[in-house]
Structure formats: structure tokens, C-alpha cells
Amino acid sequence: DQQVKQNSPSLSVQEGRISILNCDYTNSMFDYFLWYKKYPAEGPTFLISISSIKDKNEDGRFTVFLNKSAKHLSLHIVPSQPGDSAVYFCAAKDYGQNFVFGPGTRLSVLP
Amino acid sequence: DAMVIQNPRYQVTQFGKPVTLSCSQTLNHNVMYWYQQKSSQAPKLLFHYYDKDFNNEADTPDNFQSRRPNTSFCFLDIRSPGLGDAAMYLCATSKDRLFQETQYFGPGTRLLVL
């Protein structure tokens, strides 16, 4: 039973355009959400997070939006750059519990 | 630089031959995690240590064991690897298990079982 879902295994975007990566979750107890980025042959690295009391968090080119009623979050990257090409994992957590990861979305930014 | 280190990066073992993967951290974090990740799947938590307290996930096979001799090091022992255990094994740390923690990952060890 997947508690965190990323229904798009892959996404291709033109350089300079917006990339939108989506994530859905089923556990209403989750109250903290993270995005990780993973390059080949490296471990995931933390990108951006959001707590359930917010609906938006922005860090430079990266913005995460949270819609609690829909149990949906999205990561926006604008403008997309070729160096953003990686696998992006959505993760969720509730207090005192462990992280639950989605299966990842492979983003390809085309020059 | 503070970091999470995993050795080796690639490990080849034979079916049924015990293997140990290692992880070390310079972050002085309380929590260390081991994940198994198979191709195109989410990282799956095997177990974690909160300080010296070992916490096993309910569906982690008995074939997988772990040791944490001190704060810095954590080992994953696979007693009798099967072909289905071929995967990427990721070690991660977090300062605590509270709200708004972030995990820091090592580069992973890719295990091949022949």
C-alpha cells in the first residue's frame, strides 16, 4: 500500500520552461513533506520542504505547493536548467515517525 | 565537510555468502537509517537506530541485521544474500526523529548477488 505516490515516472521539459512534479499521499497524519533530488551514482540530497501549516514554500527557483484537502503537493522549478535533470523523490513524515518515500520522477531538462 | 560515507560503493557477493555494508557519519546525528532501493521503486526502510535503540520495520526479513557500535558507524549485515537482495542500499542520518527533521543520505552501495 503506497502511502506516497508519484504517478509520473518521467517528465521532459525544455530548458527555461517550468517543471512541475506532482506527489499524492494517503495518510492524513503526515504533516511534513520534503523533496529530494538524486543524481546517478549519488544518494538523494535534500531540496526543499514544507510543513502542513503552510501551503507554499519558496527557495530560489524551487517552490513547493501543498494542498492538504486534496492530499497533494507539487514541486515547481522555474526556469528549468539542464543541471536539474535528476530523479526527484517526494517524502512525507508525521511527528516522531519515519519518512515515507515515493517512487520518484525522472526529470529531463532538454537544452 | 560533514557527511555520510558508505563503503564500498559497489559490492559483489555470491548467493548465500554473508556480506556487510558499512556507513559512517561525521554529522554526530542521533538517528541512522538503512534503506533498500530497487530500480524505479521508492527507498524502503529496513531499520533504524535512534542512538543505541534498534528499530526494525515489521516487514524487514530476518536475513537483514544491523549493528551500531558507536555514534559514527552503522553496519548492515545480510546473512544469506539471495538474488532478490540485489539492490542499492542507502544509509541516511537525521539529528533526531522530531518534527521537521531532514535526512542526509550517503551515496549508496550497489549490491550485486551472483
Side-chain angles (χ1 to χ4, degrees), chain B residues 26-42:
Chain B
T26 60
L27 296 159
N28 203 32
H29 282 175
N30 288 321
V31 194
M32 294 187 77
Y33 307 80
W34 279 104
Y35 288 87
Q36 179 194 65
Q37 187 188 16
K38 296 187 177 180
S39 182
S40 302
Q41 295 183 20

Side-chain angles (χ1 to χ4, degrees), chain A residues 17-110:
Chain A
R17 307 292 290 267
I18 185 170
S19 296
I20 300 176
L21 296 99
N22 293 304
C23 177
D24 297 288
Y25 62 96
T26 58
N27 187 344
S28 57
M29 297 301 293
F30 288 146
D31 56 11
Y32 185 54
F33 304 89
L34 308 93
W35 284 95
Y36 285 83
K37 176 179 178 178
K38 184 183 184 303
Y39 291 119
E42 296 183 14
T45 55
F46 170 72
L47 189 58
I48 192 169
S49 63
I50 189 167
S51 73
S52 59
I53 60 173
K54 294 185 175 181
D55 56 16
K56 176 182 175 181
N57 189 26
E58 192 172 351
D59 183 3
R61 296 184 298 114
F62 303 92
T63 304
V64 56
F65 295 91
L66 175 63
N67 182 334
K68 280 194 68 178
S69 61
K71 295 192 181 70
H72 176 84
L73 63 155
S74 60
L75 174 67
H76 293 211
I77 307 173
V78 56
S80 302
Q81 299 173 354
D84 297 328
S85 296
V87 177
Y88 289 79
F89 290 99
C90 173
K93 185 181 187 299
D94 62 15
Y95 184 89
Q97 299 302 314
N98 293 315
F99 298 82
V100 179
F101 284 81
T105 296
R106 181 177 301 278
L107 173 66
S108 299
V109 180
L110 309 172

Side-chain angles (χ1 to χ4, degrees), chain B residues 11 21 44 52 67 69-70 73-74 89-90 97 100:
Chain B
Q11 176 73 57
L21 310 182
K44 178 182 179 298
K52 296 180 181 179
R67 297 170 282 136
N70 54 52
F73 285 87
C74 194
Y89 289 88
L90 295 165
R97 286 183 55 187
Q100 297 194 5

Side-chain angles (χ1 to χ4, degrees), chain B residues 20-70:
Chain B
T20 295
L21 310 182
S22 72
C23 177
S24 63
Q25 54 129 341
T26 60
L27 296 159
N28 203 32
H29 282 175
N30 288 321
V31 194
M32 294 187 77
Y33 307 80
W34 279 104
Y35 288 87
Q36 179 194 65
Q37 187 188 16
K38 296 187 177 180
S39 182
S40 302
Q41 295 183 20
K44 178 182 179 298
L45 182 64
L46 297 173
F47 27 59
H48 75 277
Y49 272 94
Y50 184 80
D51 196 10
K52 296 180 181 179
D53 292 334
F54 177 70
N55 298 269
N56 199 28
E57 292 300 296
D59 57 353
T60 297
D62 292 340
N63 198 26
F64 291 86
Q65 303 286 322
S66 186
R67 297 170 282 136
R68 188 178 186 187
N70 54 52

